[in-house]
Amino acid sequence: MNILITGSSGQIGTNLGLRLLERGDSILGIDKRHNPWTTELPTKIVDMTTDCGSRILELITGYDIQLIVHLAAHAKVFELVREPSRALENVTMTFRAAEAARLAGIPIIFASSREVYGDIHRHITNESCADFVVAESPYSASKIAGEAFIYSYAQCYSTPYIVFRFSNVYGRYDNDIDRMERVTPLFIHRISQGEPIVIFGKEKTLDFTYVDDCVQGILLGIEKLLSGEVKNQTFNLAYGQGNSLVDLANLIGEALGIDPNISFKPTQAGEVTRYIADISLARNLLGYNPATPLSEGIRKCIEWGKAYKRPDIPIN
Ligand SMILES: NC(=O)c1ccc[n+]([C@@H]2O[C@H](COP(=O)([O-])OP(=O)(O)OC[C@H]3O[C@@H](n4cnc5c(N)ncnc54)[C@H](O)[C@@H]3O)[C@@H](O)[C@H]2O)c1
């Protein structure tokens, strides 16, 4: 298969791209920056907010692409609260990806987020109860608008899609905390250095997804969408269990043999404080079966971080 991955220099894109190559597929990555982790992923530098859509279409035609996995985005909720114009850029990128899929006549997988559910304190959230009137942040709004574009393209132009709503993906290729502070690598970094950590929201409970489980779900989506077995569906893709940030810090402390020094502050604006995914639809229609509980994922993550050596490749 020939797959185009937008945002291929990011965490999920890097893991997905390497996995596809490993199993013998061809990929083309597009991103606005070089991949900081590996030179193995063929990458075209394209800024999807400014480069015109015809550039993406040219690449699709030139590389005989059969499906787009659209991951490119500004993916940090709190940054978009500070700079909401970047949320609008997310919408532009999704529009460009959907347009390219329409013009090329190929299916698209869109990376959405649990943020579309807002902070509604549901213990179990299934796909049918996204409540778009409670968009929690500009990032949530960008994912809601992105999903709406994808649905409208299926409706008006018969562009087949799968939408995945991811949740706190962690694991390999996520420790670039100088670019983007994600809670798991940030806590690992600080606890391992003996530095204190701050938890914004003592009760905050989230569904942490080990990256291999996330990639497993996307691979199943690619296969089933290309075969026509599944199309025009929206899935929660997570582990399906809640853990508090205190649990996360304690598991990291346990794996490192260090007692974490934790202090608490109130939740920040725009943040979701409770989310546990109902993943039964993905289990039933895709055969998705996440295999890595947080305790095991954290151990793998820490082992990977210790073994990882950053290669000497350009970063921009
Ligand atoms: N990782 C998670 O926990 C999580 C959770 C929910 C949703 N998502 C969504 O999944 C997708 C992938 O997430 P990730 O964790 O790999 O994020 P990431 O930030 O690691 O990767 C996103 C990539 O998009 C690229 N990008 C940003 N603006 C661009 C532009 N104008 N043109 C081209 N490329 C651009 C970035 O350079 C980056 O490499 C995103 O859409 C994100 O919103 C991720």
Side-chain angles (χ1 to χ4, degrees), residues 16-207:
L16 175 66
L18 290 173
R19 184 73 193 90
L20 282 164
L21 287 180
E22 208 177 271
R23 65 174 210 177
D25 291 305
S26 297
I27 66 143
L28 179 67
I30 65 178
D31 203 294
K32 67 175 182 185
R33 64 194 179 111
H34 291 286
N35 194 302
W37 313 104
T38 174
T39 48
E40 282 176 48
L41 299 183
T43 307
K44 296 284 178 196
I45 300 302
V46 176
D47 183 336
M48 293 182 71
T49 58
T50 53
D51 287 352
C52 66
S54 59
R55 170 88 179 109
I56 303 171
L57 193 60
E58 253 168 49
L59 292 171
I60 289 175
T61 314
Y63 286 81
D64 196 19
I65 297 293
Q66 291 159 278
L67 180 144
I68 301 175
V69 180
H70 173 50
L71 302 173
H74 302 296
K76 185 78 185 125
V77 175
F78 197 67
E79 276 171 19
L80 272 59
V81 173
R82 282 197 298 250
E83 268 188 81
S85 61
R86 300 175 90 192
L88 191 57
E89 291 185 358
N90 282 354
V91 182
T92 302
M93 288 185 242
T94 305
F95 163 70
R96 293 255 156 81
E99 248 322 72
R102 170 176 86 93
L103 294 170
I106 59 175
I108 183 165
I109 290 180
F110 171 52
S112 185
S113 165
R114 55 144 168 135
E115 298 289 328
V116 300
Y117 295 114
D119 192 21
I120 41 187
H121 302 272
R122 288 193 183 107
H123 289 238
I124 297 292
T125 309
N126 74 36
E127 293 81 351
S128 62
C129 60
D131 187 353
F132 292 173
V133 294
V134 293
E136 210 64 44
S137 70
Y139 176 79
S140 319
S142 78
K143 291 299 183 188
I144 291 167
E147 286 196 16
F149 262 113
I150 298 292
Y151 302 146
S152 73
Y153 271 55
Q155 200 67 25
C156 294
Y157 315 115
S158 301
T159 303
Y161 72 83
I162 284 181
V163 168
F164 283 123
R165 293 177 180 156
F166 300 143
S167 172
N168 285 87
V169 182
Y170 69 97
R172 265 177 262 105
Y173 309 120
D174 69 348
N175 60 353
D176 53 344
I177 50 175
D178 39 344
R179 176 182 74 96
M180 185 162 155
E181 279 191 5
R182 304 175 203 252
V183 65
T184 306
L186 181 69
F187 280 12
I188 292 175
H189 174 75
R190 294 193 68 94
I191 294 171
S192 66
Q193 302 296 308
E195 293 169 5
I197 56 164
V198 180
I199 289 182
F200 292 91
K202 194 170 188 172
E203 308 300 326
K204 199 184 280 166
T205 295
L206 301 171
D207 199 330

Side-chain angles (χ1 to χ4, degrees), residues 227-239:
S227 70
E229 216 178 312
V230 173
K231 74 168 186 176
N232 303 353
Q233 289 284 348
T234 296
F235 296 103
N236 294 331
L237 212 64
Y239 185 69

Side-chain angles (χ1 to χ4, degrees), residues 170 208-210 212-213 239 290-298 300:
Y170 69 97
F208 292 90
T209 317
Y210 187 61
D212 285 351
D213 287 331
Y239 185 69
T292 315
L294 187 59
S295 52
E296 191 187 327
I298 288 300
K300 286 183 171 181

